[in-house]
Amino acid sequence: MDDLTKKTVKQRLASATGHLKGIERMVDEDAYCIDVIKQVQAVQAALSKVSTLILDNHLRTCVTTAIRGDEPDERERVLEEITSVFNVSSKL
Amino acid sequence: MDDLTKKTVKQRLASATGHLKGIERMVDEDAYCIDVIKQVQAVQAALSKVSTLILDNHLRTCVTTAIRGDEPDERERVLEEITSVFNVSSKL
Amino acid sequence: MDDLTKKTVKQRLASATGHLKGIERMVDEDAYCIDVIKQVQAVQAALSKVSTLILDNHLRTCVTTAIRGDEPDERERVLEEITSVFNVSSKL
Amino acid sequence: MDDLTKKTVKQRLASATGHLKGIERMVDEDAYCIDVIKQVQAVQAALSKVSTLILDNHLRTCVTTAIRGDEPDERERVLEEITSVFNVSSKL
């Protein structure tokens, strides 16, 4: 991960962590269920963006290097990984 | 939320928070991007289960009370809320 | 399903069917892969809306009747079904 | 798209089309709402697999060619497209 992506990803993960702690407090204070669900869904959406951000950086660095490289096995491996995370993301 | 659901939801939120902190450390230690994405996706899946758990409890308590009650506006409101969270969940 | 919902659902299903046939033709004519994927994703989004529409109608009819009724097993059954389709929708 | 992928994709699209027509008939015959929703969700899951299949083929052909090629703009374009369909897939 390049430095800027790393910094942004860490900030967003820290923000999601803070959000989750806030949701724990909501549950403690007997907040309305639907409001809790909406906040949980907001964290899920924020995490989706984090994944997209990391993938974008990964494509531009490791994947590009592997595809331009001379090892067919390595190329195959990075492409399979992309398909695999795409497949999981469509099931979340 | 009944006490058991509340306890379970809080435990799972705390577990997701711990998981996210672990992912922050992975990023700090330059873990492989795809491994980071997979961990983020695991947290998203765990949060989906939390939402389902809260919704299930909500249906059995607030929604059942509202639907058996005598206020049409209140019934309408709880039903619209279910449709709304369902709609968001299919976009996550 | 009430008549209006039925009509709307049928129209949208027919529209999704037409859309899929158009995508088959795109594949036949060697359209660019990403354009095909985008069209497939558009059909998926349209189908999500159909599910939400049916669920909304179901909540106002069958679920309301069951919850206001006197059979605890029937109430339990309809509530479990809602949780189940919600759970699946968050995995699509 | 290579010939095998094209054939498989066309078969699966035709199968999804047939499935949707069956769902239209279910609606006509007043099938139970939850059963209709489950069938719609099954088509959505099948379409997700079609997208993954096309993406996998696209990565091995167009994307690999572009990344190994000498045009930075073309490389940038194909990578942005992957991020874009990934982003949409996480919202379906």
Short mmCIF file of all heavy atoms in Angstrom, two decimals, chain D residues 12-74:
data_model
loop_
_atom_site.label_atom_id
_atom_site.label_comp_id
_atom_site.label_asym_id
_atom_site.label_seq_id
_atom_site.Cartn_x
_atom_site.Cartn_y
_atom_site.Cartn_z
N ARG D 12 -26.12 -19.33 -18.97
CA ARG D 12 -26.60 -18.90 -17.65
C ARG D 12 -27.59 -17.74 -17.75
O ARG D 12 -28.54 -17.64 -16.97
CB ARG D 12 -25.42 -18.49 -16.77
CG ARG D 12 -24.55 -19.69 -16.45
CD ARG D 12 -23.65 -19.41 -15.29
NE ARG D 12 -22.77 -20.55 -15.06
CZ ARG D 12 -21.93 -20.65 -14.06
NH1 ARG D 12 -21.85 -19.67 -13.18
NH2 ARG D 12 -21.17 -21.71 -13.90
N LEU D 13 -27.37 -16.86 -18.73
CA LEU D 13 -28.33 -15.77 -18.93
C LEU D 13 -29.67 -16.34 -19.39
O LEU D 13 -30.73 -15.91 -18.93
CB LEU D 13 -27.80 -14.76 -19.96
CG LEU D 13 -26.64 -13.87 -19.50
CD1 LEU D 13 -26.09 -13.07 -20.68
CD2 LEU D 13 -27.06 -12.92 -18.37
N ALA D 14 -29.62 -17.33 -20.29
CA ALA D 14 -30.87 -17.95 -20.78
C ALA D 14 -31.59 -18.64 -19.63
O ALA D 14 -32.82 -18.58 -19.50
CB ALA D 14 -30.56 -18.94 -21.91
N SER D 15 -30.80 -19.27 -18.77
CA SER D 15 -31.40 -19.95 -17.62
C SER D 15 -32.04 -18.94 -16.66
O SER D 15 -33.15 -19.16 -16.14
CB SER D 15 -30.31 -20.77 -16.93
OG SER D 15 -30.61 -20.97 -15.59
N ALA D 16 -31.38 -17.78 -16.44
CA ALA D 16 -31.96 -16.74 -15.58
C ALA D 16 -33.24 -16.18 -16.20
O ALA D 16 -34.22 -15.91 -15.49
CB ALA D 16 -30.94 -15.62 -15.35
N THR D 17 -33.24 -16.03 -17.54
CA THR D 17 -34.44 -15.55 -18.22
C THR D 17 -35.61 -16.52 -18.00
O THR D 17 -36.73 -16.11 -17.68
CB THR D 17 -34.17 -15.41 -19.74
OG1 THR D 17 -33.04 -14.55 -19.92
CG2 THR D 17 -35.36 -14.82 -20.47
N GLY D 18 -35.32 -17.81 -18.16
CA GLY D 18 -36.35 -18.83 -17.93
C GLY D 18 -36.86 -18.79 -16.50
O GLY D 18 -38.07 -18.90 -16.24
N HIS D 19 -35.93 -18.61 -15.57
CA HIS D 19 -36.28 -18.54 -14.16
C HIS D 19 -37.23 -17.35 -13.90
O HIS D 19 -38.24 -17.49 -13.22
CB HIS D 19 -34.98 -18.40 -13.36
CG HIS D 19 -35.09 -18.84 -11.92
ND1 HIS D 19 -34.02 -19.27 -11.18
CD2 HIS D 19 -36.14 -18.88 -11.08
CE1 HIS D 19 -34.42 -19.56 -9.97
NE2 HIS D 19 -35.69 -19.33 -9.87
N LEU D 20 -36.90 -16.20 -14.50
CA LEU D 20 -37.75 -15.01 -14.31
C LEU D 20 -39.16 -15.22 -14.87
O LEU D 20 -40.15 -14.79 -14.27
CB LEU D 20 -37.12 -13.78 -14.97
CG LEU D 20 -35.96 -13.11 -14.23
CD1 LEU D 20 -35.50 -11.88 -15.00
CD2 LEU D 20 -36.35 -12.70 -12.81
N LYS D 21 -39.22 -15.90 -16.02
CA LYS D 21 -40.55 -16.18 -16.59
C LYS D 21 -41.37 -17.08 -15.67
O LYS D 21 -42.57 -16.91 -15.50
CB LYS D 21 -40.42 -16.82 -17.98
CG LYS D 21 -40.09 -15.79 -19.05
CD LYS D 21 -40.06 -16.42 -20.43
CE LYS D 21 -39.64 -15.39 -21.48
NZ LYS D 21 -39.17 -16.04 -22.72
N GLY D 22 -40.67 -18.05 -15.07
CA GLY D 22 -41.33 -18.92 -14.09
C GLY D 22 -41.84 -18.10 -12.90
O GLY D 22 -42.94 -18.36 -12.38
N ILE D 23 -41.08 -17.09 -12.49
CA ILE D 23 -41.51 -16.25 -11.36
C ILE D 23 -42.74 -15.43 -11.74
O ILE D 23 -43.67 -15.27 -10.95
CB ILE D 23 -40.35 -15.34 -10.87
CG1 ILE D 23 -39.15 -16.21 -10.41
CG2 ILE D 23 -40.80 -14.43 -9.74
CD1 ILE D 23 -37.89 -15.42 -10.05
N GLU D 24 -42.76 -14.94 -13.00
CA GLU D 24 -43.96 -14.22 -13.47
C GLU D 24 -45.21 -15.11 -13.36
O GLU D 24 -46.26 -14.66 -12.91
CB GLU D 24 -43.80 -13.80 -14.95
CG GLU D 24 -43.12 -12.47 -15.15
CD GLU D 24 -43.25 -12.00 -16.60
OE1 GLU D 24 -44.35 -11.56 -17.00
OE2 GLU D 24 -42.24 -12.11 -17.34
N ARG D 25 -45.03 -16.38 -13.75
CA ARG D 25 -46.18 -17.31 -13.64
C ARG D 25 -46.58 -17.51 -12.18
O ARG D 25 -47.76 -17.54 -11.84
CB ARG D 25 -45.82 -18.67 -14.26
CG ARG D 25 -46.00 -18.71 -15.78
CD ARG D 25 -45.93 -20.14 -16.32
NE ARG D 25 -44.65 -20.78 -16.00
CZ ARG D 25 -43.53 -20.66 -16.74
NH1 ARG D 25 -43.54 -19.94 -17.85
NH2 ARG D 25 -42.42 -21.28 -16.38
N MET D 26 -45.56 -17.63 -11.28
CA MET D 26 -45.88 -17.77 -9.85
C MET D 26 -46.73 -16.59 -9.37
O MET D 26 -47.69 -16.78 -8.62
CB MET D 26 -44.58 -17.75 -9.02
CG MET D 26 -43.77 -19.03 -9.08
SD MET D 26 -42.20 -18.83 -8.12
CE MET D 26 -42.82 -18.88 -6.42
N VAL D 27 -46.37 -15.38 -9.82
CA VAL D 27 -47.11 -14.19 -9.40
C VAL D 27 -48.53 -14.26 -9.93
O VAL D 27 -49.50 -13.99 -9.21
CB VAL D 27 -46.40 -12.90 -9.88
CG1 VAL D 27 -47.25 -11.66 -9.58
CG2 VAL D 27 -45.03 -12.77 -9.23
N ASP D 28 -48.67 -14.68 -11.20
CA ASP D 28 -49.98 -14.84 -11.81
C ASP D 28 -50.87 -15.81 -11.03
O ASP D 28 -52.07 -15.61 -10.91
CB ASP D 28 -49.81 -15.42 -13.24
CG ASP D 28 -50.00 -14.36 -14.28
OD1 ASP D 28 -50.69 -13.37 -13.98
OD2 ASP D 28 -49.43 -14.51 -15.39
N GLU D 29 -50.23 -16.86 -10.57
CA GLU D 29 -50.99 -17.90 -9.86
C GLU D 29 -51.06 -17.62 -8.36
O GLU D 29 -51.33 -18.53 -7.56
CB GLU D 29 -50.33 -19.26 -10.12
CG GLU D 29 -50.43 -19.69 -11.60
CD GLU D 29 -49.40 -20.76 -11.97
OE1 GLU D 29 -48.67 -21.22 -11.07
OE2 GLU D 29 -49.35 -21.13 -13.18
N ASP D 30 -50.78 -16.37 -7.96
CA ASP D 30 -50.87 -15.96 -6.56
C ASP D 30 -50.05 -16.81 -5.60
O ASP D 30 -50.51 -17.17 -4.51
CB ASP D 30 -52.34 -15.95 -6.10
CG ASP D 30 -53.13 -14.88 -6.83
OD1 ASP D 30 -52.68 -13.74 -6.86
OD2 ASP D 30 -54.20 -15.21 -7.39
N ALA D 31 -48.81 -17.09 -6.00
CA ALA D 31 -47.92 -17.83 -5.10
C ALA D 31 -47.66 -17.00 -3.84
O ALA D 31 -47.86 -15.78 -3.84
CB ALA D 31 -46.61 -18.14 -5.81
N TYR D 32 -47.25 -17.66 -2.79
CA TYR D 32 -46.96 -17.00 -1.53
C TYR D 32 -45.79 -16.01 -1.71
O TYR D 32 -44.75 -16.37 -2.28
CB TYR D 32 -46.62 -18.07 -0.49
CG TYR D 32 -46.43 -17.55 0.91
CD1 TYR D 32 -47.40 -16.75 1.52
CD2 TYR D 32 -45.28 -17.85 1.64
CE1 TYR D 32 -47.23 -16.27 2.81
CE2 TYR D 32 -45.10 -17.38 2.94
CZ TYR D 32 -46.08 -16.58 3.51
OH TYR D 32 -45.91 -16.11 4.79
N CYS D 33 -45.98 -14.78 -1.22
CA CYS D 33 -44.99 -13.70 -1.42
C CYS D 33 -43.56 -14.11 -1.08
O CYS D 33 -42.62 -13.80 -1.82
CB CYS D 33 -45.32 -12.50 -0.54
SG CYS D 33 -46.88 -11.73 -0.94
N ILE D 34 -43.38 -14.77 0.05
CA ILE D 34 -42.03 -15.13 0.49
C ILE D 34 -41.39 -16.10 -0.51
O ILE D 34 -40.19 -16.02 -0.79
CB ILE D 34 -42.07 -15.73 1.92
CG1 ILE D 34 -42.53 -14.67 2.93
CG2 ILE D 34 -40.73 -16.33 2.31
CD1 ILE D 34 -41.54 -13.55 3.18
N ASP D 35 -42.20 -17.00 -1.05
CA ASP D 35 -41.67 -17.94 -2.06
C ASP D 35 -41.23 -17.18 -3.32
O ASP D 35 -40.20 -17.51 -3.92
CB ASP D 35 -42.73 -18.99 -2.43
CG ASP D 35 -43.04 -19.91 -1.24
OD1 ASP D 35 -42.17 -20.03 -0.35
OD2 ASP D 35 -44.13 -20.49 -1.21
N VAL D 36 -41.99 -16.16 -3.68
CA VAL D 36 -41.62 -15.35 -4.85
C VAL D 36 -40.30 -14.62 -4.56
O VAL D 36 -39.37 -14.65 -5.37
CB VAL D 36 -42.73 -14.32 -5.20
CG1 VAL D 36 -42.29 -13.46 -6.39
CG2 VAL D 36 -44.04 -15.03 -5.52
N ILE D 37 -40.20 -13.99 -3.38
CA ILE D 37 -38.97 -13.27 -3.02
C ILE D 37 -37.76 -14.21 -3.07
O ILE D 37 -36.71 -13.87 -3.60
CB ILE D 37 -39.09 -12.62 -1.62
CG1 ILE D 37 -40.13 -11.49 -1.65
CG2 ILE D 37 -37.73 -12.09 -1.14
CD1 ILE D 37 -40.41 -10.86 -0.29
N LYS D 38 -37.92 -15.42 -2.52
CA LYS D 38 -36.80 -16.38 -2.52
C LYS D 38 -36.34 -16.72 -3.93
O LYS D 38 -35.14 -16.87 -4.20
CB LYS D 38 -37.17 -17.65 -1.76
CG LYS D 38 -37.13 -17.44 -0.25
CD LYS D 38 -37.46 -18.72 0.51
CE LYS D 38 -37.43 -18.45 2.02
NZ LYS D 38 -37.97 -19.59 2.80
N GLN D 39 -37.30 -16.84 -4.86
CA GLN D 39 -36.93 -17.15 -6.24
C GLN D 39 -36.23 -15.95 -6.89
O GLN D 39 -35.27 -16.11 -7.64
CB GLN D 39 -38.17 -17.54 -7.07
CG GLN D 39 -38.79 -18.86 -6.63
CD GLN D 39 -37.79 -19.99 -6.60
OE1 GLN D 39 -36.98 -20.15 -7.53
NE2 GLN D 39 -37.79 -20.79 -5.55
N VAL D 40 -36.72 -14.73 -6.59
CA VAL D 40 -36.06 -13.53 -7.13
C VAL D 40 -34.62 -13.46 -6.60
O VAL D 40 -33.68 -13.18 -7.35
CB VAL D 40 -36.85 -12.25 -6.75
CG1 VAL D 40 -36.06 -10.99 -7.14
CG2 VAL D 40 -38.22 -12.23 -7.42
N GLN D 41 -34.44 -13.77 -5.31
CA GLN D 41 -33.09 -13.74 -4.73
C GLN D 41 -32.20 -14.80 -5.38
O GLN D 41 -31.00 -14.58 -5.55
CB GLN D 41 -33.18 -13.96 -3.21
CG GLN D 41 -33.81 -12.76 -2.48
CD GLN D 41 -33.95 -12.96 -0.98
OE1 GLN D 41 -34.14 -14.07 -0.51
NE2 GLN D 41 -33.87 -11.88 -0.22
N ALA D 42 -32.79 -15.95 -5.75
CA ALA D 42 -32.00 -17.00 -6.41
C ALA D 42 -31.49 -16.50 -7.77
O ALA D 42 -30.34 -16.76 -8.15
CB ALA D 42 -32.83 -18.26 -6.59
N VAL D 43 -32.35 -15.76 -8.50
CA VAL D 43 -31.91 -15.21 -9.79
C VAL D 43 -30.78 -14.19 -9.56
O VAL D 43 -29.79 -14.18 -10.29
CB VAL D 43 -33.08 -14.55 -10.55
CG1 VAL D 43 -32.59 -13.89 -11.84
CG2 VAL D 43 -34.16 -15.59 -10.89
N GLN D 44 -30.93 -13.36 -8.52
CA GLN D 44 -29.88 -12.37 -8.22
C GLN D 44 -28.54 -13.07 -7.95
O GLN D 44 -27.50 -12.64 -8.42
CB GLN D 44 -30.26 -11.52 -7.01
CG GLN D 44 -31.38 -10.54 -7.30
CD GLN D 44 -31.76 -9.76 -6.05
OE1 GLN D 44 -32.63 -10.18 -5.30
NE2 GLN D 44 -31.09 -8.65 -5.81
N ALA D 45 -28.59 -14.15 -7.17
CA ALA D 45 -27.35 -14.89 -6.87
C ALA D 45 -26.75 -15.48 -8.14
O ALA D 45 -25.53 -15.45 -8.35
CB ALA D 45 -27.63 -15.99 -5.84
N ALA D 46 -27.61 -16.00 -9.03
CA ALA D 46 -27.13 -16.57 -10.29
C ALA D 46 -26.47 -15.49 -11.15
O ALA D 46 -25.44 -15.73 -11.79
CB ALA D 46 -28.29 -17.24 -11.04
N LEU D 47 -27.06 -14.29 -11.14
CA LEU D 47 -26.49 -13.19 -11.94
C LEU D 47 -25.14 -12.72 -11.36
O LEU D 47 -24.25 -12.33 -12.11
CB LEU D 47 -27.48 -12.02 -12.04
CG LEU D 47 -28.74 -12.32 -12.85
CD1 LEU D 47 -29.70 -11.11 -12.82
CD2 LEU D 47 -28.41 -12.68 -14.30
N SER D 48 -25.01 -12.78 -10.04
CA SER D 48 -23.70 -12.45 -9.42
C SER D 48 -22.63 -13.38 -9.95
O SER D 48 -21.51 -12.95 -10.23
CB SER D 48 -23.76 -12.66 -7.90
OG SER D 48 -24.25 -11.52 -7.28
N LYS D 49 -22.98 -14.67 -10.07
CA LYS D 49 -22.00 -15.63 -10.58
C LYS D 49 -21.63 -15.32 -12.03
O LYS D 49 -20.48 -15.49 -12.43
CB LYS D 49 -22.54 -17.05 -10.45
CG LYS D 49 -22.47 -17.57 -9.03
CD LYS D 49 -22.83 -19.04 -8.95
CE LYS D 49 -23.03 -19.46 -7.50
NZ LYS D 49 -23.83 -20.68 -7.38
N VAL D 50 -22.62 -14.89 -12.82
CA VAL D 50 -22.34 -14.53 -14.21
C VAL D 50 -21.35 -13.36 -14.26
O VAL D 50 -20.36 -13.40 -15.00
CB VAL D 50 -23.65 -14.15 -14.97
CG1 VAL D 50 -23.34 -13.60 -16.35
CG2 VAL D 50 -24.57 -15.36 -15.08
N SER D 51 -21.57 -12.35 -13.42
CA SER D 51 -20.65 -11.20 -13.38
C SER D 51 -19.23 -11.64 -13.02
O SER D 51 -18.25 -11.17 -13.62
CB SER D 51 -21.10 -10.17 -12.34
OG SER D 51 -22.30 -9.58 -12.74
N THR D 52 -19.12 -12.49 -12.01
CA THR D 52 -17.80 -12.95 -11.57
C THR D 52 -17.09 -13.69 -12.71
O THR D 52 -15.89 -13.52 -12.94
CB THR D 52 -17.93 -13.87 -10.33
OG1 THR D 52 -18.60 -13.16 -9.30
CG2 THR D 52 -16.56 -14.32 -9.83
N LEU D 53 -17.85 -14.51 -13.42
CA LEU D 53 -17.31 -15.28 -14.54
C LEU D 53 -16.79 -14.36 -15.64
O LEU D 53 -15.68 -14.57 -16.18
CB LEU D 53 -18.47 -16.12 -15.10
CG LEU D 53 -18.19 -17.31 -15.99
CD1 LEU D 53 -17.53 -18.41 -15.18
CD2 LEU D 53 -19.53 -17.84 -16.55
N ILE D 54 -17.56 -13.34 -15.97
CA ILE D 54 -17.13 -12.41 -17.02
C ILE D 54 -15.91 -11.63 -16.55
O ILE D 54 -14.95 -11.44 -17.29
CB ILE D 54 -18.27 -11.42 -17.39
CG1 ILE D 54 -19.51 -12.19 -17.87
CG2 ILE D 54 -17.80 -10.46 -18.48
CD1 ILE D 54 -20.73 -11.28 -18.11
N LEU D 55 -15.93 -11.18 -15.29
CA LEU D 55 -14.80 -10.42 -14.76
C LEU D 55 -13.53 -11.25 -14.81
O LEU D 55 -12.46 -10.77 -15.21
CB LEU D 55 -15.06 -9.98 -13.31
CG LEU D 55 -13.90 -9.18 -12.72
CD1 LEU D 55 -13.86 -7.77 -13.32
CD2 LEU D 55 -13.99 -9.10 -11.20
N ASP D 56 -13.65 -12.52 -14.41
CA ASP D 56 -12.48 -13.40 -14.40
C ASP D 56 -11.87 -13.49 -15.80
O ASP D 56 -10.65 -13.38 -15.97
CB ASP D 56 -12.91 -14.80 -13.91
CG ASP D 56 -11.72 -15.71 -13.73
OD1 ASP D 56 -10.88 -15.41 -12.86
OD2 ASP D 56 -11.60 -16.71 -14.47
N ASN D 57 -12.74 -13.66 -16.80
CA ASN D 57 -12.26 -13.74 -18.18
C ASN D 57 -11.65 -12.41 -18.64
O ASN D 57 -10.60 -12.39 -19.29
CB ASN D 57 -13.43 -14.14 -19.09
CG ASN D 57 -12.96 -14.44 -20.50
OD1 ASN D 57 -13.20 -13.65 -21.41
ND2 ASN D 57 -12.26 -15.54 -20.69
N HIS D 58 -12.31 -11.33 -18.24
CA HIS D 58 -11.85 -10.00 -18.62
C HIS D 58 -10.45 -9.72 -18.06
O HIS D 58 -9.58 -9.18 -18.76
CB HIS D 58 -12.84 -8.97 -18.08
CG HIS D 58 -12.51 -7.55 -18.39
ND1 HIS D 58 -12.41 -7.08 -19.68
CD2 HIS D 58 -12.25 -6.48 -17.60
CE1 HIS D 58 -12.12 -5.78 -19.66
NE2 HIS D 58 -12.00 -5.41 -18.40
N LEU D 59 -10.21 -10.12 -16.81
CA LEU D 59 -8.89 -9.91 -16.19
C LEU D 59 -7.80 -10.64 -16.96
O LEU D 59 -6.71 -10.13 -17.16
CB LEU D 59 -8.90 -10.41 -14.73
CG LEU D 59 -9.69 -9.58 -13.71
CD1 LEU D 59 -9.87 -10.37 -12.41
CD2 LEU D 59 -8.97 -8.26 -13.41
N ARG D 60 -8.12 -11.87 -17.41
CA ARG D 60 -7.12 -12.69 -18.10
C ARG D 60 -6.87 -12.26 -19.54
O ARG D 60 -5.90 -12.69 -20.16
CB ARG D 60 -7.58 -14.16 -18.11
CG ARG D 60 -7.39 -14.84 -16.80
CD ARG D 60 -8.25 -16.08 -16.67
NE ARG D 60 -8.60 -16.24 -15.27
CZ ARG D 60 -7.74 -16.63 -14.34
NH1 ARG D 60 -6.52 -16.92 -14.67
NH2 ARG D 60 -8.10 -16.72 -13.08
N THR D 61 -7.79 -11.47 -20.09
CA THR D 61 -7.64 -11.07 -21.50
C THR D 61 -7.35 -9.57 -21.60
O THR D 61 -6.20 -9.17 -21.52
CB THR D 61 -8.90 -11.47 -22.30
OG1 THR D 61 -10.05 -10.93 -21.64
CG2 THR D 61 -9.05 -12.98 -22.38
N CYS D 62 -8.40 -8.78 -21.67
CA CYS D 62 -8.23 -7.33 -21.88
C CYS D 62 -7.33 -6.67 -20.84
O CYS D 62 -6.45 -5.87 -21.19
CB CYS D 62 -9.58 -6.61 -21.84
SG CYS D 62 -10.81 -7.35 -22.90
N VAL D 63 -7.55 -6.98 -19.56
CA VAL D 63 -6.79 -6.30 -18.51
C VAL D 63 -5.31 -6.67 -18.62
O VAL D 63 -4.43 -5.80 -18.55
CB VAL D 63 -7.34 -6.62 -17.11
CG1 VAL D 63 -6.49 -5.99 -16.01
CG2 VAL D 63 -8.79 -6.13 -16.99
N THR D 64 -5.05 -7.96 -18.80
CA THR D 64 -3.66 -8.40 -18.92
C THR D 64 -2.99 -7.73 -20.13
O THR D 64 -1.86 -7.23 -20.03
CB THR D 64 -3.61 -9.94 -19.03
OG1 THR D 64 -4.11 -10.48 -17.80
CG2 THR D 64 -2.18 -10.43 -19.24
N THR D 65 -3.69 -7.70 -21.26
CA THR D 65 -3.13 -7.06 -22.45
C THR D 65 -2.84 -5.58 -22.20
O THR D 65 -1.75 -5.08 -22.51
CB THR D 65 -4.13 -7.18 -23.63
OG1 THR D 65 -4.43 -8.56 -23.82
CG2 THR D 65 -3.54 -6.60 -24.92
N ALA D 66 -3.79 -4.89 -21.59
CA ALA D 66 -3.62 -3.45 -21.34
C ALA D 66 -2.45 -3.20 -20.38
O ALA D 66 -1.65 -2.29 -20.59
CB ALA D 66 -4.90 -2.85 -20.77
N ILE D 67 -2.36 -4.00 -19.34
CA ILE D 67 -1.31 -3.77 -18.34
C ILE D 67 0.07 -4.09 -18.91
O ILE D 67 1.07 -3.43 -18.60
CB ILE D 67 -1.59 -4.57 -17.05
CG1 ILE D 67 -2.80 -3.96 -16.33
CG2 ILE D 67 -0.38 -4.57 -16.12
CD1 ILE D 67 -3.15 -4.62 -15.02
N ARG D 68 0.14 -5.09 -19.79
CA ARG D 68 1.42 -5.42 -20.41
C ARG D 68 1.75 -4.48 -21.56
O ARG D 68 2.87 -4.48 -22.06
CB ARG D 68 1.42 -6.88 -20.89
CG ARG D 68 1.31 -7.87 -19.74
CD ARG D 68 1.26 -9.31 -20.23
NE ARG D 68 2.56 -9.80 -20.64
CZ ARG D 68 3.41 -10.44 -19.85
NH1 ARG D 68 3.08 -10.70 -18.60
NH2 ARG D 68 4.57 -10.85 -20.29
N GLY D 69 0.76 -3.70 -21.98
CA GLY D 69 0.95 -2.80 -23.12
C GLY D 69 1.67 -1.52 -22.75
O GLY D 69 2.06 -1.32 -21.60
N ASP D 70 1.83 -0.65 -23.73
CA ASP D 70 2.64 0.54 -23.53
C ASP D 70 1.84 1.83 -23.39
O ASP D 70 2.39 2.93 -23.47
CB ASP D 70 3.63 0.69 -24.71
CG ASP D 70 4.65 -0.43 -24.68
OD1 ASP D 70 5.06 -0.82 -23.57
OD2 ASP D 70 5.03 -0.92 -25.78
N GLU D 71 0.52 1.70 -23.21
CA GLU D 71 -0.27 2.93 -23.11
C GLU D 71 -0.77 3.15 -21.68
O GLU D 71 -1.73 2.51 -21.25
CB GLU D 71 -1.46 2.84 -24.06
CG GLU D 71 -1.03 2.78 -25.53
CD GLU D 71 -2.23 2.64 -26.43
OE1 GLU D 71 -3.20 3.41 -26.26
OE2 GLU D 71 -2.22 1.74 -27.29
N PRO D 72 -0.15 4.10 -20.98
CA PRO D 72 -0.54 4.36 -19.58
C PRO D 72 -2.02 4.69 -19.43
O PRO D 72 -2.65 4.27 -18.47
CB PRO D 72 0.33 5.56 -19.18
CG PRO D 72 1.42 5.63 -20.18
CD PRO D 72 0.93 4.98 -21.42
N ASP D 73 -2.58 5.45 -20.39
CA ASP D 73 -3.99 5.82 -20.29
C ASP D 73 -4.90 4.61 -20.36
O ASP D 73 -5.91 4.52 -19.64
CB ASP D 73 -4.39 6.75 -21.45
CG ASP D 73 -3.82 8.14 -21.25
OD1 ASP D 73 -3.10 8.34 -20.24
OD2 ASP D 73 -4.08 9.02 -22.10
N GLU D 74 -4.53 3.67 -21.21
CA GLU D 74 -5.31 2.45 -21.38
C GLU D 74 -5.23 1.61 -20.09
O GLU D 74 -6.24 1.07 -19.62
CB GLU D 74 -4.75 1.67 -22.58
CG GLU D 74 -5.43 0.37 -22.91
CD GLU D 74 -6.88 0.54 -23.34
OE1 GLU D 74 -7.36 1.68 -23.47
OE2 GLU D 74 -7.54 -0.51 -23.51
#
